[in-house]
Amino acid sequence: GQTWLKGGSIAGATDQELFDRIILGRKPANSEALIKAAKLLSAFRLLGVKHPLTDLEVVAKLGRSMSAEDLRAALDDLHQRGVVQAHGRLVSLQPKPLAFALAERQWTEWPEAVWDEVLAGSLAPHLRERAAQQLAMLNDRPKSFEVAKYVQRFSGPLASLESLRRKGNHDVIDALSEVDGETTVGLLEHILLPLNMEQLRAIDGELRRGFVRALEKLAFASNTFERSAILMLRLAAAENEDWGNNATGLFKDFFPVFLGGTEADGEARLRLLDDLIRKNDPTEMAVVVDALLHGSETNHHSRMVGAETHGSRPALESWQPRFWKDVWDYVSACMERLVKLAVKSDKVGEVARVGVAHRLRTLISGGLIDEVETWVKTI
């Protein structure tokens, strides 16, 4: 690096100078084409260069005055230099810090119309998904927030249920949820809150999977927990999937005292449950009772990992009480709410009574015999 910089010291070199030297080496012939190709490849993370995975015809149009032949030749040159690595029919640019810096430069150079085209336009689904996933890896940089906020505007190409039914768009939303969570949850509220139960139940397949995955990530962050959990509950109330990580299962998994699927603390969780109990929506209350039962569980805690990882930012951590007293306070708070529901004579009361009965033995083993006696007398 010191040799390549020639006129200056490597200690005073900027990131830009070092990146250019890595890409261009000591003989920067055709340097403009090499930089263009490197930026385009970095923006999409992976590009197909061999039949049938050939993306160059489409991607080259997004470069300034660049043909597919020019792009292929530049990528071949970068491969010879060791900057581009082959993965079968695909290529990527390495090392990752360089790829992220170049991707940021590419997004900065593209106008807003191209942002829409790349993430929600006519490109093949796999290209839009890769671009969104790479943008998520830039979520520690201001440009990614700017792009995510613009593309997810209410008048934009992703702002309707019909637009999200288009193949690939739900995966784009899933990736953008790792960039600017508040903007994404606002867009999902705009789309999902006006729908009735029948319309929500009609959302199925990959579209529902995309919504559930995005909301799982959004609910893990404390600043978007409540709004995301409410949307997840709406999907759970109109459930049409029967596997464990459906909307119902993931909503319940927000509330265990250990390994819950959110960094939101016990106070925030209980506040949300209190609001839902006061709302007393008959389509939602069965799920709310199950959530309280998960909150009062004292054995067998586990969760699937993944939702805590958001791009390049440090992984979030599930909330955990600091002291055992805090553990039992949270469990007792969930039980008290269950008991209030258990005295009702409707179906919700019946489910709550059965659930409370199944919890008594472990709660007594934990030392809550006085509380258990009070709860039983109340019911």
Side-chain angles (χ1 to χ4, degrees):
Q2 182 70 61
T3 303
W4 293 354
L5 287 169
K6 293 182 180 178
S9 167
I10 192 171
T14 65
D15 286 351
Q16 183 63 57
E17 290 173 325
L18 291 173
F19 290 158
D20 286 347
R21 293 286 71 76
I22 292 171
I23 298 169
L24 302 175
R26 285 172 289 186
K27 299 178 181 180
N30 200 22
S31 59
E32 184 178 356
L34 293 179
I35 294 294
K36 282 183 182 179
K39 288 187 294 187
L40 285 171
L41 174 56
S42 298
F44 288 94
R45 185 172 59 89
L46 290 168
L47 288 178
V49 295
K50 296 180 181 178
H51 184 77
L53 303 177
T54 50
D55 301 320
L56 303 187
E57 289 284 350
V58 175
V59 173
K61 296 176 182 178
L62 300 172
R64 292 175 297 176
S65 305
M66 196 171 206
S67 67
E69 292 76 15
D70 292 338
L71 179 55
R72 182 184 297 279
L75 292 176
D76 287 342
D77 194 344
L78 291 172
H79 183 255
Q80 295 300 320
R81 295 167 183 264
V83 182
V84 165
Q85 295 185 3
H87 314 276
R89 297 184 177 93
L90 303 173
V91 294
S92 68
L93 191 136
Q94 300 291 340
K96 285 187 177 180
L98 172 59
F100 295 160
L102 290 172
E104 182 181 20
R105 285 168 61 182
Q106 183 63 81
W107 281 106
T108 301
E109 292 174 9
W110 277 332
E112 292 175 344
V114 177
W115 296 353
D116 281 346
E117 173 66 15
V118 170
L119 294 176
S122 60
L123 299 187
H126 70 273
L127 288 175
R128 287 184 278 118
E129 293 165 19
R130 289 176 193 164
Q133 291 164 0
Q134 187 76 329
L135 187 66
M137 297 304 296
L138 308 180
N139 65 354
D140 55 350
R141 305 158 193 246
K143 179 55 64 175
S144 65
F145 282 82
E146 185 181 345
V147 175
K149 191 176 292 292
Y150 179 79
V151 174
Q152 295 180 102
R153 65 196 185 280
F154 288 175
S155 60
L158 298 173
S160 69
L161 189 61
E162 287 308 310
S163 67
L164 293 184
R165 290 188 188 279
R166 183 163 166 254
K167 184 173 177 57
N169 279 1
H170 52 80
D171 290 316
V172 170
I173 290 291
D174 181 21
L176 294 181
S177 69
E178 300 181 26
V179 179
D180 184 356
E182 294 190 0
T183 295
T184 302
V185 77
L187 178 66
L188 294 179
E189 287 173 336
H190 173 73
I191 295 170
L192 295 177
L193 286 181
L195 303 182
N196 58 37
M197 285 297 111
E198 289 185 8
Q199 292 170 318
L200 289 170
R201 195 169 288 109
I203 299 173
D204 57 6
E206 285 301 312
L207 179 57
R208 176 173 281 257
R209 286 285 86 207
F211 282 142
V212 169
R213 285 195 301 267
L215 290 171
E216 181 186 13
K217 295 175 184 177
L218 291 166
F220 211 104
S222 57
N223 64 320
T224 51
F225 163 68
E226 183 174 337
R227 297 165 66 190
S228 307
I230 288 173
L231 292 176
M232 187 76 85
L233 177 60
R234 295 264 297 162
L235 290 174
E239 190 61 80
N240 59 16
E241 296 178 329
D242 55 7
W243 36 72
N245 67 338
N246 58 12
T248 304
L250 291 177
F251 179 81
K252 295 186 295 186
D253 286 344
F254 296 150
F255 298 96
V257 66
F258 295 119
L259 298 179
T262 177
E263 65 172 2
D265 61 18
E267 183 179 345
R269 302 177 190 190
L270 292 171
R271 185 167 58 246
L272 172 62
L273 290 170
D274 285 340
D275 290 342
L276 295 173
I277 291 171
R278 282 192 294 270
K279 180 182 175 185
N280 196 28
D281 187 324
T283 63
E284 299 173 349
M285 283 306 296
V287 184
V288 173
V289 170
D290 279 345
L292 285 167
L293 288 170
H294 270 58
S296 61
E297 175 64 71
T298 56
N299 296 317
H300 313 300
H301 296 101
S302 64
R303 73 172 180 86
M304 296 293 290
V305 299
E308 72 281 5
T309 303
H310 293 188
S312 293
R313 293 195 290 259
L316 304 175
E317 294 185 8
S318 175
W319 170 74
Q320 180 171 310
R322 292 183 61 191
F323 306 107
W324 278 107
K325 178 182 181 302
D326 299 330
V327 173
W328 292 113
D329 285 348
Y330 178 80
V331 170
S332 296
C334 291
M335 284 295 298
E336 288 168 0
R337 288 157 175 79
L338 278 169
V339 169
K340 290 179 181 179
L341 296 173
V343 299
K344 295 185 176 183
S345 57
D346 56 10
K347 180 65 175 178
V348 169
E350 180 183 349
V351 173
R353 284 193 296 276
V354 172
V356 168
H358 283 296
R359 291 287 182 269
L360 298 184
R361 179 169 182 154
T362 55
L363 294 174
I364 292 172
S365 299
L368 299 184
I369 188 167
D370 293 335
E371 290 84 350
V372 166
E373 183 177 8
T374 300
W375 295 331
V376 171
K377 285 182 178 180
T378 300
I379 295 174

